Amino acid sequence: MILDEIPALVDPSLKEQLLDGESVKELQKYSLLVNQVIEDFFKQSKFYKGDNIDEINNHRILAKIDGENTLPFEKALDYVNDLYVKNTIAFHNPNYVAHLNCPVALPAIAAEALTNTINTAIETWDQSTAATFIEQEVIRWICNEFSFPSTSDGVFTSGGTQSNFMGLLMARDNYAFEHYGINIKKNGWSEEVSKFRIFCTDKSHFSIKKNAALLGMGYNAVIPVKTDSEMKMDVNELVLAIEKEKQKGNIPIAVVATLGTTDFGSFDPLETISKIAKEHKMWLHADGAYGGCFVLTDTHKHYFEHIPSVDSITIDFHKTLFQPVCCSAVLIKDKQHFKYVSHYADYLNPIEDKDPERPNLIEKSIQTTKRFDALKVWLTVKTLGNKTIAQYLEKVHFLAKEVYKIIANDDRFEAAHKPELSTMVFRYKAIGVTEDRIHDTINMYIKSSLFKGGKASVASTKVDGKIFLKFTLLNPKNTIENLSNILDMIKQKGEQYKRSN
Ligand SMILES: *Cc1c(COP(=O)(O)O)cnc(C)c1O
C-alpha cells in the first residue's frame, strides 16, 4: 500500500503516549499509580496468595489480548494488578526459599528506573557515550576483586546461561584456531570439532550441555565427571575421563569448574583442576553464576585464590549481588579472545570508525541491542560498598549452616550435604517408611502443598535419583526462627500425608 495522505493520528495519543519533553509531566501520574501498586505488593504478608486449577484457568483467559479492545491506563493497570501483581511470587518474602532469586537493593531499582526510562542501549558509542565507561568500570571492579590481570576484560550478558555460552564459544574457537588453524567464525564447521570434548561434573548447571548443543557440538561433547562426597569434582576422575576420551580419539578442549553449584553451593577444587587443564592445554571456564559474588566475603575469599589461572568466568549479579534481573557478566582473562565474537557492521560500528577513546561495547558481545544493566551494579557498589554486600552474603551463608544444624539433629530429616554457600538440600523422612519411592511421593506432596497453599516456596531436586527438598537462602533479613517454622510446616505436611494415605 502506498500512503498518499498523512496517517490520521489521534492527536492526544501523540502528545501524551510517547515520552518526550512535552509529556514527561504525565510520567509522574503513571509513577504515582505504579508506586501504589508496588507498595501494596511489598506490604502483603504472604509470598503468594495460593492457587487452585480453576483460578489458573481463569488467569489464562484474563491474559488474552486482541489489540482491539483498549482501556484507559488506570483501568489497564487495575487489570494488571488483579491478573499479575496480586498473583505473583514475592522473592523478598522470607517464606520464599526456592530458587536463586534475591531481594533487590534499592539503589539498583533507582538505577533501573533511570536506564529504563532514558532507554539507553549500550552497544555503540554513538548510543551510549559515557555509559560505556560505567559498564567498563564495573567490569574492571569485579576483575580486580578476582585479581584478574590487566589483560582481562568482560561484558554484561543476559544471564549465566549466555555468559557460559560465551566462555564455551571462546574455548571451542580458540582451541580450533591454536591447534588446527581452523577459523570457525569464518568457515564454520570442521571435522575435528566433532571430536572436541568439554569436562564438567554431573552437578554442573544444565546450561553447559545446552550450550554445547547450541554450539553445534551436541550434548555428547560434554563428559560428566564424578563428584566426591562433598559434591565437588573428583580430580582423579577428571584425569581418568580425559585419558579415556583421548584413547577414543577425542580431543579434550575445556574444563568447567563450578564455583557454587546450583543445588549444593559446592566449589570444585580450582587449584588442581587448573593444573590438569594447563597440562592438557585445555581452556578453563569457571562458572561462578551463583558463587562468584562471594569473592567479596571474608568467609569465601580463599575459594578464589586460583582464579587468575582460569580463562573465563561467569558471574550473576542478579543472583548474589541483590540486583534485579537481568544482570550478569562474563570475564575473559585475555581480552584478545573477544575477537571470536566481534563483528564490524557498516551501519553500526564500521571498522573505519574504530576509536580507542570511544569504544563500542558491541565488539565484545553476542547481543546487538543491549541493556545498560551495569548502572545498577555501579550505583549499588557506589552506595552500599563491598563490605555491606559481603555482610549480606555472609549472613545467608550463616543461615544455611544454622538450618543444617537443626536438620542434622532431627531424625525426621536427612541432610544431603553440609552447606558451603547458602543452599540446604535435605528430605523429610516419615517414620516407618523404608521405600525411597514413598519418600519421594511424600516430599513432592510437601513441596506442592506448601506452595499451593501460599505457605512457603521450597524447591526440590534429585540426589542419586531420590527426591530431596532444597532451601535457597538469599535474603539476609530472613531469620532462623522463620526457617525453623518452615521446617515445622514441612513436618506437619509430611505427617498429614502419612495420616491420610
Ligand atoms: C543459575 C545458574 C546458571 C544460569 O544462569 P542464568 O542467569 O539463570 O542464565 C549457570 N550456572 C550456575 C552454576 C547457576 O547457578
Side-chain angles (χ1 to χ4, degrees):
M1 189 177 76
I2 297 167
L3 284 180
D4 46 17
E5 265 177 59
I6 299 173
L9 279 162
V10 202
D11 210 27
S13 134
L14 257 192
K15 274 216 167 79
E16 292 164 17
Q17 307 288 359
L18 295 177
L19 184 57
D20 62 11
E22 205 177 2
S23 62
V24 69
K25 275 211 154 67
E26 291 290 308
L27 186 61
Q28 261 194 21
K29 195 178 81 188
Y30 284 72
S31 302
L32 284 174
L33 289 166
V34 166
N35 276 344
Q36 193 53 56
V37 173
I38 292 173
E39 210 173 307
D40 292 346
F41 172 75
F42 277 90
K43 281 187 173 161
Q44 40 180 51
S45 58
K46 293 172 98 178
F47 88 92
Y48 176 41
K49 85 185 220 306
D51 75 36
N52 62 59
I53 194 64
D54 293 336
E55 227 178 352
I56 290 174
N57 286 331
N58 192 37
H59 292 157
R60 182 178 295 120
I61 295 163
L62 287 176
K64 288 204 184 311
I65 190 166
D66 59 16
E68 297 290 335
N69 296 298
T70 58
L71 290 174
F73 180 76
E74 290 83 344
K75 288 264 172 348
L77 187 64
D78 284 344
Y79 204 107
V80 167
N81 198 9
D82 289 339
L83 172 62
Y84 158 53
V85 183
K86 287 181 180 166
N87 294 297
T88 201
I89 308 297
F91 296 150
H92 66 281
N93 188 292
N95 281 9
Y96 179 84
V97 290
H99 304 291
L100 284 159
N101 309 103
C102 52
V104 290
L106 274 166
I109 293 297
E112 193 82 311
L114 256 179
T115 58
N116 285 351
T117 312
I118 294 173
N119 193 27
T120 295
I122 194 160
E123 65 265 28
T124 55
W125 176 266
D126 67 355
Q127 296 172 81
S128 51
T129 57
T132 308
F133 298 135
I134 292 179
E135 173 160 338
Q136 291 285 58
E137 191 49 36
V138 173
I139 294 289
R140 181 73 4 241
W141 162 75
I142 195 66
C143 280
N144 285 345
E145 293 302 330
F146 281 123
S147 304
F148 242 24
S150 58
T151 54
S152 64
D153 198 0
V155 72
F156 271 67
T157 66
S158 65
T161 303
Q162 192 184 79
S163 298
N164 283 344
F165 180 86
M166 289 184 69
L168 294 178
L169 181 144
M170 289 185 194
R172 182 196 68 177
D173 288 17
N174 190 56
Y175 201 94
F177 187 71
E178 294 292 324
H179 296 263
Y180 299 97
I182 297 168
N183 184 338
I184 296 185
K185 185 168 109 175
K186 195 165 166 214
N187 301 318
W189 201 245
S190 94
E191 212 29 57
E192 277 79 6
V193 186
S194 304
K195 300 184 196 133
F196 283 8
R197 293 293 177 267
I198 298 161
F199 298 77
C200 64
T201 75
D202 53 355
K203 311 291 186 294
S204 298
H205 194 260
F206 70 85
S207 59
I208 305 302
K209 266 187 151 172
K210 189 168 165 173
N211 285 326
L214 295 173
L215 286 163
M217 297 189 284
Y219 283 177
N220 293 342
V222 179
I223 306 298
V225 178
K226 288 197 186 105
T227 47
D228 61 16
S229 60
E230 293 182 321
M231 316 294 180
K232 298 165 181 289
M233 185 183 281
D234 182 327
V235 286
N236 294 323
E237 292 286 341
L238 173 64
V239 174
L240 289 176
I242 292 172
E243 290 308 329
K244 197 170 153 197
E245 289 305 313
K246 278 188 165 172
Q247 274 167 22
K248 285 192 205 162
N250 289 327
I251 308 163
I253 64 151
V255 190
V256 177
T258 307
L259 306 180
T261 55
T262 315
D263 279 344
F264 307 100
S266 48
F267 283 71
D268 289 332
L270 210 47
E271 184 176 8
T272 319
I273 294 174
S274 70
K275 281 185 191 141
I276 298 167
K278 202 168 177 186
E279 200 177 305
H280 295 271
K281 299 194 165 58
M282 296 159 84
W283 184 279
L284 177 53
H285 177 71
D287 182 358
Y290 171 22
C293 292
F294 280 79
V295 70
L296 301 172
T297 66
D298 288 334
T299 46
H300 291 73
K301 211 172 195 65
H302 63 281
Y303 284 105
F304 299 90
E305 217 180 302
H306 297 280
I307 271 283
S309 63
V310 312
D311 295 292
S312 50
I313 310 172
T314 288
I315 184 164
D316 267 1
F317 303 120
H318 60 216
K319 283 179 179 163
T320 36
L321 205 86
F322 310 97
Q323 300 297 300
V325 289
C326 297
C327 203
S328 176
V330 65
L331 313 175
I332 310 295
K333 186 164 65 186
D334 180 353
K335 60 182 163 202
Q336 297 292 331
H337 293 131
F338 280 110
K339 68 177 181 242
Y340 297 117
V341 297
S342 60
H343 181 84
Y344 298 90
D346 291 342
Y347 82 95
L348 205 55
N349 60 330
I351 190 105
E352 296 79 7
D353 226 13
K354 209 170 160 70
D355 174 357
E357 307 292 333
R358 297 173 179 80
N360 293 319
L361 295 183
I362 192 172
E363 287 167 24
K364 297 187 285 179
S365 180
I366 61 168
Q367 295 171 257
T368 304
T369 304
K370 195 162 88 72
R371 289 167 50 87
F372 181 26
D373 287 320
L375 184 68
K376 53 200 180 198
V377 178
W378 191 92
L379 204 53
T380 302
V381 173
K382 191 89 176 166
T383 54
L384 269 66
N386 292 5
K387 207 165 171 187
T388 302
I389 299 164
Q391 281 168 349
Y392 290 173
L393 294 175
E394 286 165 6
K395 173 73 188 288
V396 291
H397 170 59
F398 170 81
L399 287 172
K401 287 199 300 183
E402 290 297 304
V403 171
Y404 172 77
K405 279 188 207 159
I406 299 176
I407 284 173
N409 286 310
D410 190 331
D411 56 12
R412 219 64 59 78
F413 291 123
E414 176 188 344
H417 67 130
K418 265 191 177 171
E420 214 166 338
L421 278 180
S422 65
T423 61
M424 182 65 233
V425 179
F426 63 98
R427 64 175 175 168
Y428 172 78
K429 289 197 91 173
I431 299 174
V433 174
T434 48
E435 263 185 84
D436 278 323
R437 198 177 46 83
I438 300 174
H439 284 308
D440 285 355
T441 313
I442 299 177
N443 279 281
M444 278 321 266
Y445 169 79
I446 292 170
K447 172 183 138 165
S448 82
S449 61
L450 287 177
F451 180 83
K452 287 179 190 163
K455 300 265 188 235
S457 183
V458 176
S460 65
T461 189
K462 280 188 183 165
V463 182
D464 300 328
K466 297 171 235 169
I467 290 177
F468 275 64
L469 301 173
K470 175 170 78 162
F471 280 5
T472 303
L473 305 174
L474 287 181
N475 187 348
K477 278 176 119 176
N478 217 330
T479 60
I480 197 62
E481 291 74 27
N482 184 62
L483 295 169
S484 176
N485 189 38
I486 300 176
L487 289 174
D488 286 342
M489 289 196 282
I490 289 173
K491 283 202 273 193
Q492 281 159 19
K493 288 287 175 195
E495 275 147 36
Q496 186 185 328
Y497 181 90
K498 245 197 97 192
R499 271 200 307 276
S500 53
N501 283 277

